[in-house]
Amino acid sequence: MYYLQDLTMDAIARELRTSRSTVSRLLTFARETGLVQIQIWNPLESSAELESAISRRYRIRAHVVPHVSNLNEAETLDRVSMYAARTLTPFVGSNTVLGVAWGSTLTAMSRYLNRKSTHGSTVVQLNGAANTQTMGLGYASEIMRRFGGAYDAAVEEFPVPAFFDRAETKRLMWQERSVRRVLDLQAHMSVAVFGVGSVDADVPSHVYTGSYLDSADLQSLAEERVVGDVATVFYREDGSSDGIALNERSTGPDHTLIRGVEHRFCVVSGPSKARSLRGALRARLVTQLVIDEATARALLALEA
């Protein structure tokens, strides 16, 4: 009556026609003899188990943000972004070159960055943000400005399109000295921070909804079995990226460059991004992963 029917001890005493003190002694006796066993579920313990499972499976450091009931997708993203901002801070020091992608996740994360004074540090944009509708400067610049302000770092933007119309245009632009300066900075990154774009996300990633891709591009990605992107460079679920035509026109860093960065922070919120995340992990693009509990479970379920 007490544990299953949620009756008070007074109500139970009346029902059994005994005293309240007798009911209390009976409940104590039930716990002491093991008739009743009380277990406390600690969400932090659950998160630690998930972190260990992901770390073992992918040989990375995983940070799982515990589930909190009644939070919507935007609120969960805020929690993950806040945790990611705190986790990133110790890795940014003086003379650090920090590469930053743009997107909804990085926008949220940039609002929670902890202030840390450094010297000689630089924040460099990983990929262009312009498309046929906008130069994307305001969108990407705000993210970069927040990262630079948090760490007293110089900011190097990348004022090129997210995708060139022709691969040949990219090859020619990559020979220009002004562009080479940014590319050379990227080549010296010790920290990179990014989210994952996902073709299948419940809330589509910005690159798939912000006039960056036309119908022919989307058709091409579907035919090439693309599941997502990191900084507008696409990959399949097995982590491969060879033969994906759109990557020849993308201004994001190729996977070889990303894999050469010592600390690669990936921030993901939302179970519908699990397949895209698995592709990024299989491509070995990640060393530090900040993820919500539901997405962590969805990721491990794919491997079951």
Side-chain angles (χ1 to χ4, degrees), residues 27 175 265:
L27 290 171
Q175 297 174 30
F265 276 80

Side-chain angles (χ1 to χ4, degrees), residues 228-244:
D229 74 281
V230 164
T232 60
V233 176
F234 299 93
Y235 50 81
R236 304 178 185 88
E237 195 165 356
D238 64 1
S240 66
S241 58
D242 56 294
I244 298 176

Side-chain angles (χ1 to χ4, degrees), residues 77-133:
L77 174 59
D78 271 352
R79 280 178 56 83
V80 171
S81 299
M82 188 182 303
Y83 193 102
R86 291 199 302 266
T87 305
L88 175 66
T89 301
F91 290 86
V92 182
S94 293
N95 302 311
T96 296
V97 178
L98 170 63
V100 177
W102 50 261
S104 301
T105 301
L106 270 294
T107 298
M109 181 181 172
S110 69
R111 300 190 186 105
Y112 296 106
L113 294 170
N114 297 321
R115 185 82 171 79
K116 181 179 181 180
S117 182
T118 69
H119 303 281
S121 300
T122 303
V123 175
V124 60
Q125 186 175 328
L126 287 182
N127 52 323
N131 59 38
T132 57
Q133 303 297 320

Side-chain angles (χ1 to χ4, degrees), residues 117-189:
S117 182
T118 69
H119 303 281
S121 300
T122 303
V123 175
V124 60
Q125 186 175 328
L126 287 182
N127 52 323
N131 59 38
T132 57
Q133 303 297 320
T134 174
M135 288 302 293
L137 295 178
Y139 178 69
S141 294
E142 181 66 11
I143 298 172
M144 302 295 293
R145 183 189 64 78
R146 289 172 179 168
F147 273 87
Y151 304 124
D152 292 335
V155 173
E156 288 289 348
E157 297 180 7
F158 201 15
V160 294
F163 303 97
F164 287 106
D165 288 338
R166 300 171 184 83
E168 179 61 24
T169 306
K170 174 183 172 179
R171 284 191 287 272
L172 292 172
M173 282 292 294
W174 260 219
Q175 297 174 30
E176 293 293 321
R177 286 178 295 174
S178 59
V179 174
R180 285 248 42 104
R181 183 174 57 83
V182 177
L183 297 177
D184 288 343
L185 269 175
Q186 292 178 359
H188 288 86
M189 291 184 294

Side-chain angles (χ1 to χ4, degrees), residues 11-276:
I12 295 169
R14 289 195 298 272
E15 180 74 19
L16 300 180
R17 296 181 182 179
T18 187
S19 66
R20 186 182 186 280
S21 60
T22 297
V23 172
S24 179
R25 285 196 299 272
L26 287 170
L27 290 171
T28 300
F29 174 78
R31 289 195 298 271
E32 290 177 347
T33 59
L35 180 63
V36 170
Q37 296 182 352
I38 298 174
Q39 294 181 323
I40 297 175
W41 178 78
N42 185 347
L44 294 179
E45 291 179 359
S46 175
S47 297
E49 292 173 359
L50 291 170
E51 288 175 352
S52 296
I54 293 172
S55 296
R56 288 194 304 270
R57 177 66 181 82
Y58 295 104
R59 300 183 183 277
I60 64 169
R61 176 69 172 95
H63 310 265
V64 176
V65 181
H67 170 73
V68 175
S69 60
N70 301 322
L71 292 187
N72 60 34
E73 188 168 332
E75 291 167 330
T76 299
L77 174 59
D78 271 352
R79 280 178 56 83
V80 171
S81 299
M82 188 182 303
Y83 193 102
R86 291 199 302 266
T87 305
L88 175 66
T89 301
F91 290 86
V92 182
S94 293
N95 302 311
T96 296
V97 178
L98 170 63
V100 177
W102 50 261
S104 301
T105 301
L106 270 294
T107 298
M109 181 181 172
S110 69
R111 300 190 186 105
Y112 296 106
L113 294 170
N114 297 321
R115 185 82 171 79
K116 181 179 181 180
S117 182
T118 69
H119 303 281
S121 300
T122 303
V123 175
V124 60
Q125 186 175 328
L126 287 182
N127 52 323
N131 59 38
T132 57
Q133 303 297 320
T134 174
M135 288 302 293
L137 295 178
Y139 178 69
S141 294
E142 181 66 11
I143 298 172
M144 302 295 293
R145 183 189 64 78
R146 289 172 179 168
F147 273 87
Y151 304 124
D152 292 335
V155 173
E156 288 289 348
E157 297 180 7
F158 201 15
V160 294
F163 303 97
F164 287 106
D165 288 338
R166 300 171 184 83
E168 179 61 24
T169 306
K170 174 183 172 179
R171 284 191 287 272
L172 292 172
M173 282 292 294
W174 260 219
Q175 297 174 30
E176 293 293 321
R177 286 178 295 174
S178 59
V179 174
R180 285 248 42 104
R181 183 174 57 83
V182 177
L183 297 177
D184 288 343
L185 269 175
Q186 292 178 359
H188 288 86
M189 291 184 294
S190 60
V191 184
V193 57
F194 48 85
V196 295
S198 174
V199 175
D200 301 321
D202 291 339
V203 178
S205 302
H206 191 69
V207 68
Y208 303 102
T209 61
S211 300
Y212 289 95
L213 305 172
D214 59 27
S215 57
D217 293 330
L218 294 171
Q219 179 64 30
S220 173
L221 293 178
E223 292 172 353
E224 291 162 340
R225 307 188 315 282
V226 165
V227 296
D229 74 281
V230 164
T232 60
V233 176
F234 299 93
Y235 50 81
R236 304 178 185 88
E237 195 165 356
D238 64 1
S240 66
S241 58
D242 56 294
I244 298 176
L246 201 54
N247 287 344
E248 297 298 317
R249 300 191 280 117
S250 170
T251 57
D254 64 37
H255 290 174
T256 301
L257 176 61
I258 292 292
R259 283 191 287 264
V261 178
E262 183 179 6
H263 304 295
R264 310 185 297 272
F265 276 80
C266 182
V267 186
V268 181
S269 177
S272 60
K273 288 189 173 183
R275 289 180 64 231
S276 177

